[in-house]
Amino acid sequence: MKLLKKVTMFGLLAGFGVSALADNPISTYHYLADPGAAADDDYFYIITDSDDPAPYNSDGYKIYALYAFRSRDMQNWTDYGIIYDARKVNGINDIWASGIAVHNGTFYIVFPDGGGGGIGYIKAPAIEGPWTNAVGQGKDKLVGGRGIIGCDGVSWCFDPGIFIDDDGTTYVTWGGGESNSRPNTDNFDIVKLNDAKDAPVGNGSHVKVNNLPTRKMLEASYIHKHKGTYYFSYSTGWQQGAPTIDYGTSNNVMGPYTWKGTILGDPSMNGRSINGNNNHHGIAEFKGHSYVVYHDRRIAKGHNGLEIIPADDGKAKPNEGYHRSVSVDEMFYNADGTIQTVKVTDEGPEQIENFDPYDWYPALTSSKQKGIRSRSNFVQGKAADHVMLPLSSKEAWLRVSGVDFGAGATGFTVEAASTADGNKVEIRSGSATGTLAGTCTLTKTKDKSTYVENKCEVEGLKGIVKQLFLVFKGSQDSTMAVKAWGFEGSGTTPPEPQKPFSGKAWEIPGKIEMEDFDIPGSGRGSEIKSYSENDSEDHGIAEGDKSYREGTGVDIYKKATGYIVGYNQAGEWLEYTVNIKEAGDYTMFASVATDNSTASFTLSIDDKSIAEVPVAGDSWDDFVKVKANVTLPAGEHILRFTVTGDWFDIDYMTFAAGKDAKDPDDGQVAIRPMGRMDAASVATFDVFDLTGKKVASFTARSMLEAKKLWRENAQAKSVQGVSLIRNRSNGALARVRTVR
């Protein structure tokens, strides 16, 4: 759910009147590199890879995972940790410099499979994931090995960038190095993707840059757009001296481009290049400003008072060349559209909006840090899980800048694990030893994976606090793991729980319409969700129609009996606020349709499992009842429906009092929600693969004819296994298997 923040001009002036500038880099507790950037109306996003696994004396890169950050104000950053890990995804060797784009609520990343193993393509409904393969056509790469198209003779088939134009058309660039056929004046390719943003339209085309100076093109291709002009930028590489980011412009995204100058000089060590130095960047516009993200070597050098963190093997002062960090600065245009060379700063960009403390934030949300480390628990198919590990026997803190407490905060909550007695969090203003506003003592837990919410009162926090510190104290290191935190009080967005769709809890005994799941809460950001959907596209609506639950991406479409939830895939879930009249035994009946023998779902009350329900059927046209005996507590609770086996439709659930109770719908166990389509009429049919991605559309007079046409279509042979065909007019579904 997107949170609306109301900030007065007075509040902005009060917050930014005195040194509200950030310190580069954005993270001082792990080594990051090769950033990409994107933005939407609410946040600026950065993805990076990581030098963390490299030993202190490394003479090369060990890069296996992608990290993600976002900011609403360009000073305070939320670190989501590892969002995609090659070590835990089959078929990928490792992940180097990648590109990111966001469009209509869906995030897209192109990544290189190691040093030239091809270009992968993934998508997600949120920056933290879960990320799924977006390539299509049964492939796992867009470009290169096992890809849809080849590398076109590019020497280094890596460093991809992704650009989505104003009309939604997507372009991917890649390349680097040089070969006999592709010298460093012609070593980048660009390809256009189709409307589904997956399969390429044709093969890669050479990116031509005219009037190149002595510095040639090496790697890190990137496209952005400003006031109708396309900008193609790239790294010139270390072979030609200090590496710079140069650029050309064009009125056509495919080029040719004309070289214009340098965006970014060598930022690595106050302008001093070192052996093996390189340069990489990302550019995005956000809230009327333009920003460039880049990597440097600030942490490894420890300059500007930054602590020198150990390498992955625990040894201090690691090799500067292979332990990079990521920074951001503002970028400015001249009146003629050329770009002023970016001034690399220690301070970073100005804060553009006050920080709202009355939301619920992942622990690693800050403008600067000291004495902390972090741990990512990446599981494929799930959103990122990242926790903070304070070194509590040392000086350990997070700083948050430009915080607008409004009329005043009254309380602070921190979700944490603590395996030792006496661990605590102090809330201070001004500095890490500044005015104490409150202290939260952490509850001791059995391990560092068991989290509890710890609450404490605070006082003296009102109006604009320029620098807020969360200080972590304890007698032993590695005994705390912090998951999230937030304040309570009279601020701009006070916490609000999720609520029933109709404003009233569903009564049990009674019926629950599945499309009317709860409205998400606010005050804990994306943490207070009432649903989870694997992708943001609502496959249940016909093109041009409006979704029943606009913006959720939950696949809802209309049949003769009303709205149903379809295209259900494992891992998706919906929540409902229910009011259970009496504690005791109940029988749950669910109206479902499928022809998939492995479909299933579970039910839980307040995260406690109450039923595992297999779903069976032989037709998408006929709804049948499945049932389960459940034991329910009295009162108001959250009922969660979770899909555990793919592909079924569900209309509603009914709860009847008693074990093995009679179906309240008079025992009717088979429902035909629609008549067969008139053979004389013509309808449009959409075909989806088992990832839920539309792969084809055509017209037919009946579902039988549609299935026959699809089996005979040459394109069907490229879709692996089973496809789903949907009648766009009445929502009828059928499953069809094709054989290659």
Side-chain angles (χ1 to χ4, degrees), residues 629-641:
N629 288 314
V630 297
T631 301
L632 304 177
E636 190 165 292
H637 301 274
I638 298 295
L639 171 70
R640 177 180 286 193
F641 157 85

Side-chain angles (χ1 to χ4, degrees), residues 282-558:
I283 296 170
E285 295 188 355
F286 182 54
K287 297 183 179 179
H289 301 261
S290 293
Y291 300 97
V292 59
V293 297
Y294 55 90
H295 64 221
D296 50 45
R297 271 81 174 171
R298 299 176 199 258
I299 297 178
K301 190 69 174 176
H303 90 129
N304 193 31
L306 298 177
E307 62 175 324
I308 302 176
I309 65 171
D312 196 59
D313 55 9
K315 296 185 179 182
K317 296 186 178 180
N319 184 333
E320 299 164 2
Y322 299 100
H323 292 85
R324 297 163 289 180
S325 47
V326 167
S327 297
V328 57
D329 275 296
E330 190 162 1
M331 185 179 78
F332 299 94
Y333 293 85
N334 296 308
D336 63 357
T338 56
I339 298 173
Q340 299 176 20
T341 301
V342 172
K343 181 182 178 182
V344 172
T345 71
D346 293 338
E347 295 81 16
E350 292 186 358
Q351 186 170 350
I352 60 175
E353 181 179 299
N354 288 325
F355 183 87
D356 176 8
Y358 301 109
D359 205 338
W360 185 247
Y361 292 97
L364 272 304
T365 300
S366 59
S367 62
K368 196 171 183 180
Q369 321 82 23
K370 187 173 183 180
I372 66 161
R373 302 293 181 263
S374 66
R375 180 185 73 218
S376 281
N377 303 311
F378 175 79
V379 177
Q380 189 176 6
K382 294 187 177 181
D385 181 18
H386 197 212
V387 298
M388 180 179 63
L389 307 173
L391 302 176
S392 51
S393 67
K394 303 176 182 179
E395 185 181 356
W397 46 258
L398 295 179
R399 185 192 71 189
V400 186
S401 299
V403 186
D404 182 3
F405 281 101
T410 57
F412 175 74
T413 302
V414 57
E415 183 182 4
S418 175
T419 58
D421 293 317
N423 285 334
K424 59 185 179 181
V425 182
E426 294 179 347
I427 301 95
R428 294 181 178 270
S429 59
S431 71
T433 58
T435 303
L436 181 66
T439 301
C440 269
T441 300
L442 303 185
T443 302
K444 188 175 182 180
T445 57
K446 65 179 181 179
D447 53 43
K448 284 192 290 185
S449 298
T450 302
Y451 300 95
V452 297
E453 290 190 358
N454 304 271
K455 299 178 181 293
C456 59
E457 295 181 354
V458 295
E459 60 181 7
L461 298 176
K462 61 182 179 179
I464 306 297
V465 174
K466 297 179 180 64
Q467 294 186 339
L468 178 76
F469 286 78
L470 305 182
V471 184
F472 305 93
K473 293 190 173 180
S475 59
Q476 302 177 57
D477 285 341
S478 303
T479 58
M480 276 190 273
V482 184
K483 196 73 171 286
W485 54 266
F487 287 85
E488 296 175 358
S490 304
T492 54
T493 54
E496 183 178 329
Q498 70 187 70
K499 50 191 172 186
F501 180 73
S502 66
K504 182 181 178 182
W506 295 97
E507 297 288 341
I508 293 180
K511 178 184 284 188
I512 298 173
E513 295 288 350
M514 300 304 291
E515 69 273 12
D516 291 338
F517 51 90
D518 281 2
I519 297 171
S522 63
R524 292 198 175 189
S526 60
E527 299 297 316
I528 300 186
K529 292 184 66 176
S530 58
Y531 64 91
S532 180
E533 177 70 18
N534 285 353
D535 64 67
S536 60
E537 183 179 353
D538 186 346
H539 301 292
I541 59 172
E543 292 181 9
D545 289 350
K546 186 176 181 180
S547 170
Y548 177 73
R549 298 294 296 272
E550 193 73 27
T552 65
V554 176
D555 302 310
I556 300 171
Y557 60 96
K558 200 169 187 178

Side-chain angles (χ1 to χ4, degrees), residues 240-261:
Q240 304 158 76
T244 62
I245 301 297
D246 281 14
Y247 76 102
T249 62
S250 177
N251 59 8
N252 188 324
V253 65
M254 302 293 287
Y257 290 82
T258 300
W259 182 87
K260 293 294 182 181

Side-chain angles (χ1 to χ4, degrees), residues 40 212 270 287 548 693:
D40 56 23
L212 279 172
N270 286 335
K287 297 183 179 179
Y548 177 73
K693 180 176 65 62

Side-chain angles (χ1 to χ4, degrees), residues 75-215:
Q75 181 173 18
N76 298 293
W77 296 90
T78 294
D79 181 357
Y80 287 97
I82 293 176
I83 60 170
Y84 207 64
D85 193 336
R87 294 164 293 190
K88 298 182 179 180
V89 178
N90 291 333
I92 304 174
N93 295 311
D94 46 19
I95 293 180
W96 290 13
S98 303
I100 182 173
V102 56
H103 184 70
N104 289 341
T106 298
F107 293 78
Y108 302 90
I109 287 177
V110 284
F111 66 88
D113 183 2
I119 308 301
Y121 190 26
I122 53 179
K123 66 179 180 178
I127 189 66
E128 65 268 32
W131 292 88
T132 56
N133 189 355
V135 174
Q137 296 194 10
K139 299 285 187 176
D140 58 1
K141 297 286 173 58
L142 274 175
V143 180
R146 305 186 302 281
I148 298 175
I149 63 174
C151 287
D152 194 26
V154 172
S155 180
W156 300 347
C157 188
F158 71 177
D159 275 21
I162 180 170
F163 169 72
I164 301 180
D165 210 343
D166 300 334
D167 63 358
T169 305
T170 302
Y171 301 86
V172 173
T173 63
W174 73 89
E178 65 176 336
S179 63
N180 291 334
S181 62
R182 300 296 297 272
N184 60 11
T185 55
D186 179 30
N187 57 344
F188 293 116
D189 263 29
I190 182 171
V191 66
K192 176 182 176 181
L193 305 189
N194 66 13
D195 292 339
K197 298 183 179 65
D198 51 17
V201 177
N203 293 315
S205 300
H206 295 210
V207 180
K208 183 173 180 58
V209 180
N210 295 322
N211 300 336
L212 279 172
T214 303
R215 295 190 305 274

